[in-house]
Amino acid sequence: MWDPAQYLAFADHRARPFYELVARVGASEPRRVVDAGCGPGNLTASLSSRWPSAAIEAFDSSSEMVEAARAAGVDARVDDVTTWEPLPDTDVVVSNAVLQWVPSHPSIVSKWAGALPAGAWLAFQVPGNYADASHRLIREVAGPSLAHVFRSEKPVLEPVEYAELLAGCSSVDAWETTYVQRLSGPDPVLEWVTGTALRPVRAALSSSDWEAYVAELAPRLREAYPERADGTTWFPFRRIFVVAQV
């Protein structure tokens, strides 16, 4: 289950990749713009501002996220990226930090590109930090008994692999950026991953086991990402971006 409030605790940091992704989309007057995996909808509204004449379609597989999006004024619905298909007038598809949760997403991306009309745009970004200390420690503390909750140690492709996947498009722009994020508050890296990467672990544990897990993970994260004298913490975060025009 997704917790919109926990996810939005770092809304500014999570929003920056979205804006930098959408900025590379060259559509001028698209008929329909889709936010595939809209989350709590806080970023979906910017799509209406960018393309005011477009029909905005937003969906997410989490009913909690959809409820939050609707409360924010977004006409969102519950749907799944694995089964969703673009309508014939879809000119832009945006997917922000969603596809890493879907093991079959390379084939889904290829299917979307094949189904979109000529000239349409497909843009997505995924985390690329699975080899970093944050994710490595999450798996180490979980141990063999929880190995089944992790889809893969590397659930995303490299930029050049995504570029090759979409090489048949008229244009492909794939790149990576490492954001050195300055977080504040107690155990900020733990708070960050609790809203995303730790969701499968939390779902698999009882309340008491979860508390024991966090008690072991927290000091390891503090050691890997030490607090500075001013109380802030540097948290490098690699992102992988792809923008293609069909």
Side-chain angles (χ1 to χ4, degrees):
M1 184 176 71
W2 279 94
D3 182 346
Q6 181 75 41
Y7 185 82
L8 288 170
F10 299 96
D12 289 346
H13 290 295
R14 298 193 195 280
R16 184 177 173 188
F18 175 90
Y19 291 124
E20 296 185 4
L21 175 72
V22 174
R24 299 280 189 104
V25 177
S28 55
E29 294 184 2
R31 295 165 294 175
R32 178 177 297 273
V33 175
V34 180
D35 191 351
C38 64
N42 58 308
L43 299 173
T44 309
S46 68
L47 299 177
S48 296
S49 300
R50 168 82 182 272
W51 295 294
S53 63
I56 304 298
E57 179 182 344
F59 68 87
D60 199 282
S61 62
S62 164
S63 58
E64 294 83 11
M65 287 294 197
V66 168
E67 183 179 351
R70 289 175 176 168
V74 175
D75 184 18
R77 70 177 191 276
V78 175
D79 207 339
D80 193 321
V81 295
T82 63
T83 56
W84 174 83
E85 296 181 358
L87 293 173
D89 65 345
T90 302
D91 290 327
V92 177
V93 176
V94 176
S95 183
N96 184 60
V98 173
L99 295 175
Q100 73 274 12
W101 297 105
V102 184
S104 62
H105 78 264
S107 63
I108 292 170
V109 166
S110 295
K111 182 181 72 173
W112 288 353
L116 290 169
W121 294 80
L122 172 59
F124 61 91
Q125 71 90 4
V126 291
N129 61 338
Y130 292 96
D132 290 355
S134 56
H135 285 68
R136 188 175 67 253
L137 292 171
I138 286 172
R139 295 190 297 268
E140 287 179 4
V141 175
S145 64
L146 287 175
H148 64 282
V149 309
F150 303 106
R151 292 177 173 87
S152 169
E153 289 190 9
K154 188 184 176 186
V156 300
L157 304 183
E158 292 298 315
V160 69
E161 294 174 308
Y162 284 121
E164 181 61 31
L165 183 69
L166 296 170
C169 294
S170 64
S171 68
V172 183
D173 186 10
W175 73 98
E176 63 180 82
T177 298
T178 296
Y179 298 91
V180 181
Q181 301 174 154
R182 196 171 200 167
L183 306 183
S184 59
D187 289 322
V189 176
L190 176 63
E191 287 298 310
W192 178 286
V193 296
T194 296
T196 51
L198 281 178
R199 286 180 51 253
V201 178
R202 178 66 186 91
L205 296 176
S206 66
S207 295
S208 58
D209 287 343
W210 167 249
E211 290 177 4
Y213 175 87
V214 169
E216 183 175 351
L217 178 63
R220 296 195 188 192
L221 289 175
R222 285 195 293 270
E223 181 179 3
Y225 303 95
E227 184 179 83
R228 302 176 66 252
D230 67 357
T232 63
T233 301
W234 296 120
F235 182 39
F237 200 117
R238 179 179 180 242
R239 299 274 184 173
I240 296 169
F241 299 79
V242 182
V243 175
Q245 186 175 24
V246 176

